[in-house]
Amino acid sequence: MAKYERNLKGNFNELLSIIEEGILHGSISASYEDGSNFEKDGVSCAIRVYERYSCFGGNRVSLNVTLVGKDEDLFISAITSGGSQAVLFKINTLGEESFLDKLKEIIENYNG
């Protein structure tokens, strides 16, 4: 499991769209699995789950992204899972880290 969190400034809907586009076009095997949206009292929250095939592990890994925003204040939390083939402990998490690196690149290049 790998995790990335960050506070930033920007437009909630714009960043969500950029994330979705970047993840789905960042890998030929990436897919949107499901998501949820919530809004109340000016606070927006979007949860997205993506999967892709990991050549490193020979399996699929998932990326769970939560984006929360109020006005221009944004918070993103992303957690990967599923990249290990071991039964009792995790080994070979390169696929998870690679998937998360794609999201980090998207966020670091965002100029909200």
Side-chain angles (χ1 to χ4, degrees):
M1 179 170 56
K3 183 165 125 176
Y4 172 77
E5 294 184 325
R6 180 161 174 217
N7 290 294
L8 62 156
K9 298 277 188 188
N11 180 284
F12 179 88
N13 290 320
E14 176 185 60
L15 180 56
L16 182 60
S17 179
I18 290 169
I19 290 169
E20 290 178 345
E21 177 101 4
I23 294 296
L24 293 175
H25 289 95
S27 170
I28 194 166
S29 66
S31 62
Y32 170 81
E33 294 301 308
D34 207 349
S36 180
N37 297 312
F38 178 78
E39 187 174 340
K40 183 170 181 163
D41 299 328
V43 176
S44 298
C45 179
I47 301 166
R48 299 290 184 268
V49 179
Y50 303 97
E51 279 190 358
R52 81 172 191 182
Y53 180 75
S54 170
C55 291
F56 293 117
N59 56 8
R60 292 188 67 78
V61 297
S62 67
L63 172 64
N64 301 284
V65 178
T66 301
L67 179 64
V68 179
K70 180 168 175 67
D71 301 322
E72 289 196 4
D73 293 323
L74 304 176
F75 174 76
I76 188 161
S77 177
I79 301 171
T80 59
S81 66
S84 177
Q85 294 177 323
V87 175
L88 299 176
F89 52 91
K90 294 192 80 153
I91 60 170
N92 187 16
T93 59
L94 293 174
E96 291 178 37
E97 292 165 14
S98 176
F99 205 3
L100 191 60
D101 284 344
K102 181 60 187 169
L103 177 70
K104 286 181 187 177
E105 177 186 326
I106 292 166
I107 299 303
E108 300 301 323
N109 289 323
Y110 177 68
N111 297 315

